[in-house]
Amino acid sequence: MKSEPIPFEGGPMDGRVLSVLAGATGHPPKIYRIPVPDPAGGPDTVLVYRRVPRGHSKRLGIQQGWKYAYDPEAGPDAGRPRWPWSKPHSRPDATPGGKPDDTDG
């Protein structure tokens, strides 16, 4: 697998450069999650970084690479698929108003 050095911007990882594995398309993942263990033994804190373009060339506007920017508002489930059937009350009642056992219409 190919990996490339990606700089991190903002948050606790500001200024650090990590080697991140590239996917099948040659790009690093859109969202990078870093679990930080709690020293008191509680649940881990998850730092979420989003992939943004590093910059563009002056003449042709070609993208120069990627960097990760800290996203403090994102939760640990950021970037995961949101399936419509996973919400508890996303579907209206299947039976119309009236008697629920009325089969004659």
Side-chain angles (χ1 to χ4, degrees):
M1 291 220 120
K2 181 182 172 189
S3 65
E4 57 183 273
I6 305 284
F8 285 75
E9 191 174 88
M13 298 289 292
D14 191 27
R16 295 187 186 183
V17 178
L18 295 179
S19 182
V20 177
L21 289 175
T25 60
H27 297 290
K30 290 182 181 179
I31 296 181
Y32 196 78
R33 292 175 192 82
I34 303 172
V36 178
D38 186 12
D44 294 348
T45 302
V46 178
L47 304 175
V48 178
Y49 285 84
R50 294 192 183 274
R51 182 183 72 186
V52 294
R54 187 183 297 178
H56 297 283
S57 66
K58 292 180 182 179
R59 188 167 189 176
L60 297 176
I62 298 173
Q63 186 175 324
Q64 297 293 320
W66 300 102
K67 65 181 176 181
Y68 282 109
Y70 181 60
D71 189 0
E73 285 86 31
D77 294 332
R80 304 234 168 132
R82 294 183 199 106
W83 305 109
W85 54 84
S86 64
K87 295 181 183 177
H89 300 291
S90 64
R91 192 175 75 170
D93 292 338
T95 57
K99 299 177 193 172
D101 296 330
D102 188 15
T103 57
D104 295 332

